[in-house]
Every structure is written in C-alpha cells, then in structure tokens.
Amino acid sequence: MTNGLHAVTVLVPGNLNPHALKRLEETFSLVRINKPDPALVTPDMAQSVRGVAEAAGAGACFIDALPKLEIVANFGVGYDAVDAGHAGARGVMVTNTPDVLTEEVADVAVGLLLSALREFFPAEQWLREGRWEREGPYPLTRGSLRGRKVGIFGMGRIGMAVAKRLEGFGAPIAYHNRRPKPDAPYQYHPTLLSLAGAVDTLVSVAPATPETEKAVNAEVLAALGPQGVFVNIGRGNTVDEEALAEALHTDTILAAGLDVFRDEPRVHPRLLTAPRATLLPHVGSASITTRTAMADLCVDNLVSWFSEGRALTPVPETAGVEGRQ
C-alpha cells in the first residue's frame, strides 16, 4: 500500500525521466529545484525532504543541507556523481538501477565495435552523398571482427553480457578487474596493461573511481597495437582522451567506438576529427523500454524504503544502512 506515502516529501534536483516524475507526483509530495545545489534548498525543504530522486548527482554538501534525508534514489547504474561514502556515513541510503539496463547497454557495445571496425557511418555517408553511384563501392575496410581477441575492462553485469555476446562471434575473451570473478569463465589479467598486451580489442565497462581515472592511457593503447580497437560504454574519465585522440590520429590503434566522454556533452575536439572513430551521445540505455524500467526501479526503491524500510538495490557503500523508525 502506498496511500500513506503522500505525506513523504521527495525532492528532485534537475531533470528526471518523465515516467519517473509522473509516478513520483502520484505517490509522494514532490518538490523540485533546478540542480543539486545546497544554496537552492529552502528552510521548508530542509525540514521536510526525506527522499531525493535524481539523475544529476548529490554531493556531500547537498546531502548535508537535508538533515531529514533518508534515501537518495539514483536514476542510472553509475552513481559516481553521488557521494555514496558520505551518505553511508550519515546513515543515508543510496540506490541505483542495475540489471534493467544491462542488455541494452551490452547491445550498444557490440554495435559500437562493429561500426568502428566496419565503418558503417562513413559507408552510409558514401551512399547518401551519391558516391556509390559516381565512384563505385565503398573502399574495403581495414577492420574486421574475424580473428579478434577481446579484453573486457570491468567484468560486472554489463561486462559479462558483452562477453557472452562476443563469444557468439567466436571471439576469445579475457578481462581485468580489481580481483578475479569466480563466475567468469574467462582468462583473468591482474593489470590492465597485461590485458591490453594480450588482446587487440578492449571494451571498457569500468566505473569512474579514483583507481580508474585515466586508466586507459597511452601505454595501454600502444599495447593494443596498430590493429587495436577501443570501445567505451563505461565512463569517460576512465580514459586519457588526449592520448586516445593521438593514438587514433597517428594510427597507433586502428579504431574506437565511444558512447561516453569525460566532459559530456562536450567532446574532445581531436576525437571529433579522428579517423575511424564512431561517436555516440551517451545513448547506451536510451530506449523507451529500458529508460521506463530504470524509472520504475528508481521510484520503486523509494516506495519500498518508505513503506517497508528496505531498499531494493542499495549500492555497496550504503548496504548496511537501515530504515529509520
């Protein structure tokens, strides 16, 4: 039963999925501000807000500006813009939306890899510009998925889904994580550099952490070699974008497929002009079906927390936080 939840005030800082907003308006007492800025928190909000539903982040100062806060429901599997460690220390639950976007994002990873290798977008431009008729067939592509060895950087749920898809193409799989995964039937490499040296295709699904900051650097890219392909569907700040642009412009690697960038929506200008670079505007989970499922899980975490005292998908940093009486 959720009828009593109308007395619970939930704050939405910034934009949020329309389906999530509709459900929040129907279920809770909803208040909104333009962004997660503590300066925008009014005294009334400070005394009434018990939940936050967001896709724009929640820093420590913002969390501290809401003394009654019990839960931050993050719209998305990545929650690096939420200070989950600080939230946990304050007894505030943080949730995200795993699983429901796994298959969609894994599909995009494979699509990026195929497009980068086989140059689908330039080939389509060739056709649309009439060059097929004037000049003949599109030039043969240097890249092919045939005979490739794939490395996965970040063998979580999405990494496993990508690996299973690429197994279907006959590609051997290896991976690098902080530690081996007992349920991953693939070769483990203790360092990213070791993995890059053993494969010619690197797919990054790694989260943004201090340890992964610019982990994909010039040395890693050089280890991939001149036939190397790099695909990123994880987070943009796990890559040294200047090194990646240089590697593409100098043929240190063959191609790249990117759905995420360090300073979104701004893209490094040398990536925009790099040869054999397929660039997407962070659309990995951007289908109506998947975003609706993410919205439902985001709201369901709030409903479960305030009606049953438990979160459905707590992040590790706040797994031990208990509901308040």
Side-chain angles (χ1 to χ4, degrees), residues 16-159:
L16 194 64
N17 175 273
H19 179 68
L21 283 173
K22 182 174 185 294
R23 284 197 58 198
L24 290 169
E25 289 170 346
E26 293 170 348
T27 309
F28 299 99
S29 174
L30 185 65
V31 292
R32 302 187 65 180
I33 55 179
N34 289 334
K35 57 185 177 180
D37 183 347
L40 300 179
V41 175
T42 67
D44 284 348
M45 292 177 191
Q47 291 304 309
S48 64
V49 169
R50 296 172 60 192
V52 167
E54 55 74 33
C61 292
F62 181 68
I63 292 170
D64 287 344
L66 299 166
K68 306 292 186 181
L69 185 64
E70 299 178 35
I71 180 172
V72 176
N74 182 69
F75 179 84
V77 65
Y79 57 95
D80 45 287
V82 178
D83 195 332
H86 183 76
R90 251 205 57 190
V92 175
M93 171 60 68
V94 177
T95 64
N96 64 343
T97 60
D99 296 323
V100 292
L101 51 69
T102 297
E103 304 302 326
E104 201 81 80
V105 176
D107 288 347
V108 171
V110 175
L112 272 171
L113 175 57
L114 290 171
S115 184
L117 283 167
R118 297 303 313 281
E119 304 176 23
F120 290 158
F121 179 62
E124 182 180 358
Q125 287 183 306
W126 183 277
L127 178 151
R128 291 183 180 277
E129 293 168 0
R131 298 181 67 185
W132 187 15
E133 183 177 357
R134 296 194 311 270
E135 302 175 38
Y138 184 75
L140 301 181
T141 60
R142 290 168 53 188
S144 171
L145 193 55
R146 308 282 69 76
R148 286 195 164 268
K149 298 177 181 178
V150 177
I152 309 280
F153 176 30
M155 190 60 84
R157 295 177 180 90
I158 297 172

Side-chain angles (χ1 to χ4, degrees), residues 163-171:
K164 289 177 181 177
R165 281 160 172 74
L166 292 175
E167 274 190 286
F169 287 88

Side-chain angles (χ1 to χ4, degrees), residues 74-277:
N74 182 69
F75 179 84
V77 65
Y79 57 95
D80 45 287
V82 178
D83 195 332
H86 183 76
R90 251 205 57 190
V92 175
M93 171 60 68
V94 177
T95 64
N96 64 343
T97 60
D99 296 323
V100 292
L101 51 69
T102 297
E103 304 302 326
E104 201 81 80
V105 176
D107 288 347
V108 171
V110 175
L112 272 171
L113 175 57
L114 290 171
S115 184
L117 283 167
R118 297 303 313 281
E119 304 176 23
F120 290 158
F121 179 62
E124 182 180 358
Q125 287 183 306
W126 183 277
L127 178 151
R128 291 183 180 277
E129 293 168 0
R131 298 181 67 185
W132 187 15
E133 183 177 357
R134 296 194 311 270
E135 302 175 38
Y138 184 75
L140 301 181
T141 60
R142 290 168 53 188
S144 171
L145 193 55
R146 308 282 69 76
R148 286 195 164 268
K149 298 177 181 178
V150 177
I152 309 280
F153 176 30
M155 190 60 84
R157 295 177 180 90
I158 297 172
M160 287 287 285
V162 173
K164 289 177 181 177
R165 281 160 172 74
L166 292 175
E167 274 190 286
F169 287 88
I173 308 294
Y175 73 101
H176 167 65
N177 266 10
R178 285 176 294 181
R179 60 187 67 88
K181 282 181 65 75
D183 59 339
Y186 311 113
Q187 182 182 5
Y188 173 74
H189 285 262
T191 68
L192 181 57
L193 184 60
S194 170
L195 176 65
V199 301
D200 53 20
T201 305
L202 181 63
V203 180
S204 179
V205 201
T209 68
E211 294 75 24
T212 62
E213 174 76 15
K214 293 189 178 181
V216 180
N217 55 25
E219 190 177 12
V220 168
L221 294 166
L224 277 177
Q227 291 301 310
V229 176
F230 174 65
V231 172
N232 192 7
I233 53 166
R235 281 292 185 263
N237 52 3
T238 62
V239 181
D240 183 336
E241 291 187 336
E242 177 59 35
L244 176 58
E246 180 69 11
L248 288 164
H249 279 283
T250 60
D251 289 335
T252 300
I253 65 171
L254 176 66
L258 310 174
D259 186 44
V260 291
F261 304 90
R262 172 173 291 275
D263 191 25
E264 297 176 3
R266 290 166 291 277
V267 177
H268 194 295
R270 293 193 70 209
L271 288 176
L272 292 172
T273 60
R276 293 177 299 281

